Amino acid sequence: MRICRTVAEMRETTAAWRRADETIGFVPTMGFLHEGHMSLVHLARTEARRVVVSIFVNPTQFGQAADLAAYPRDEARDLAMLEAEGVDAVFLPDVETVYPPGSETVVETERLANILHGAVRPGHFRGMTSVVARLFNIVGPDVAVFGEKDYQQLRIVTRMVQDLHMPVRIVGAPTQRDADGLALSSRNVRLSPEDRAAAVVLSRALDRAEQAASEPGVTVEALRAVIEDEIVAEPRATLQGLDLVTPDTLAPLEGPLWGPVAVMISAAFGEVLLIDQRVLGE
Ligand code: AMP
């Protein structure tokens, strides 16, 4: 497994593969890897001959310095997991490598970045697209895999590559969960044992909504009420965002349910903000 820390090292590695007509699959991450990330690596492996994983905790997508400082990191463990998985190369740049001194170019999807989760985390998605565009330019993948858990992120990246004519195919991967249903997340380790137990309310609320969505004549408002009731009944959860939107443009839905709806939830447990999502009625 090649470990690349500079742009030149990464480009030499992928250029050699491209000369040999080998396709490149790419999985961008912020490290502290878990089985959710590994499922993306597996999927990338089925989509391309070579797999590159990047580990970069991107400062421009964090609103608060404290959240950035608290983000968990374990490079040695991450590398061991990727090696065991047969990953071909890991890109591990430092901040100055990704953002050279004087760097000022941003990439932003104007509407998608500033609605829903983006409305409560100003600048988050602009930071995300600004780093993903740079990583795509450095790695030059044929295909890149993103988790459906971060649903708005997946939609934004898909829009960005269309808008900027980037020659990268974006593939979404299903959310991996713990046995009780909690979506795997690097942030879960920061939950107290009580909050960890309570956090299962998010997937439970989505289960309830899925049941309700299968009933004839159900409305978007009724689905919202089912989810809200479930989460409000859990005192350790503070509901921050609940959106029922069209799966592609993320436009708000209302009235009778007649097609697929993406349900996006964010809730705080103590200091830790968790998100979950599901597309119903597909
Ligand atoms: P992160 O390291 O949190 O930036 O996540 C890197 C990639 O892994 C993103 O595309 C996430 O959507 C994806 N991901 C994170 N958690 C999960 C999960 N539980 N299941 C599937 N993909 C995930």
Side-chain angles (χ1 to χ4, degrees), residues 28-31 34 36-37 39-40 71 145-150 153 173-176 183-186:
T29 81
M30 299 208 297
H34 51 65
H37 298 108
S39 73
L40 271 55
Y71 201 83
V145 184
F146 289 82
E148 288 170 358
K149 179 172 84 82
D150 300 284
Q153 168 171 287
T175 303
Q176 302 298 308
L184 297 178
S185 166
S186 307

Side-chain angles (χ1 to χ4, degrees), residues 52-278:
V52 179
V53 175
S54 65
I55 298 176
F56 180 63
V57 182
N58 174 36
T60 68
Q61 71 188 69
F62 284 83
Q64 289 163 350
D67 195 26
L68 173 63
Y71 201 83
R73 300 166 202 242
D74 191 340
E75 186 180 303
R77 181 171 147 276
D78 287 349
L79 290 177
M81 286 172 77
L82 296 174
E83 176 103 61
E85 207 55 58
V87 164
D88 296 284
V90 183
F91 185 43
L92 279 164
D94 58 21
V95 175
E96 292 69 33
T97 299
V98 176
Y99 298 101
S103 182
E104 58 173 284
T105 304
V106 297
V107 177
E108 182 170 28
T109 54
E110 284 190 314
R111 184 184 65 88
L112 280 174
N114 296 303
I115 57 173
L116 312 180
H117 294 324
V120 284
R121 299 177 75 188
H124 168 71
F125 288 119
R126 181 176 57 225
M128 185 277 292
T129 41
S130 295
V131 78
V132 170
R134 283 165 170 77
L135 293 172
F136 282 0
N137 279 335
I138 295 166
V139 174
D142 299 281
V143 51
V145 184
F146 289 82
E148 288 170 358
K149 179 172 84 82
D150 300 284
Y151 195 72
Q152 191 168 359
Q153 168 171 287
L154 171 62
R155 296 269 66 90
I156 288 173
V157 172
T158 303
R159 188 72 249 167
M160 175 186 77
V161 302
Q162 286 171 355
D163 290 355
L164 297 182
H165 307 280
M166 292 177 164
V168 187
R169 189 160 53 86
I170 304 301
V171 172
T175 303
Q176 302 298 308
R177 298 175 180 279
D178 261 339
D180 66 356
L182 178 66
L184 297 178
S185 166
S186 307
R187 294 172 190 265
N188 291 354
V189 293
R190 292 172 55 202
L191 294 167
S192 69
E194 296 78 17
D195 285 336
R196 167 65 191 80
V200 70
V201 70
L202 300 184
S203 63
R204 197 167 61 225
L206 289 169
D207 288 343
R208 295 274 144 84
E210 188 156 17
Q211 284 162 14
S214 64
E215 287 159 22
V218 69
T219 62
V220 172
E221 291 74 14
L223 287 182
R224 170 182 290 279
V226 165
I227 297 166
E228 268 172 4
D229 289 352
E230 192 69 36
I231 295 177
V232 167
E234 171 47 70
R236 304 192 79 89
T238 309
L239 185 60
Q240 298 225 324
L242 171 58
D243 298 286
L244 295 99
V245 295
T246 56
D248 48 356
T249 63
L250 308 186
L253 284 169
E254 55 185 41
L257 194 66
W258 48 266
V261 53
V263 181
M264 299 167 52
I265 307 179
S266 61
F269 297 82
E271 299 277 280
V272 185
L273 184 68
L274 298 182
I275 62 174
D276 205 347
Q277 72 81 32
R278 196 169 302 174

Side-chain angles (χ1 to χ4, degrees), residues 1-4 9-10 12-13 16-17 79 87-91:
M1 185 171 78
R2 295 283 296 264
I3 295 178
C4 306
E9 284 167 353
M10 191 68 249
E12 274 164 32
T13 302
W17 294 337
L79 290 177
V87 164
D88 296 284
V90 183
F91 185 43

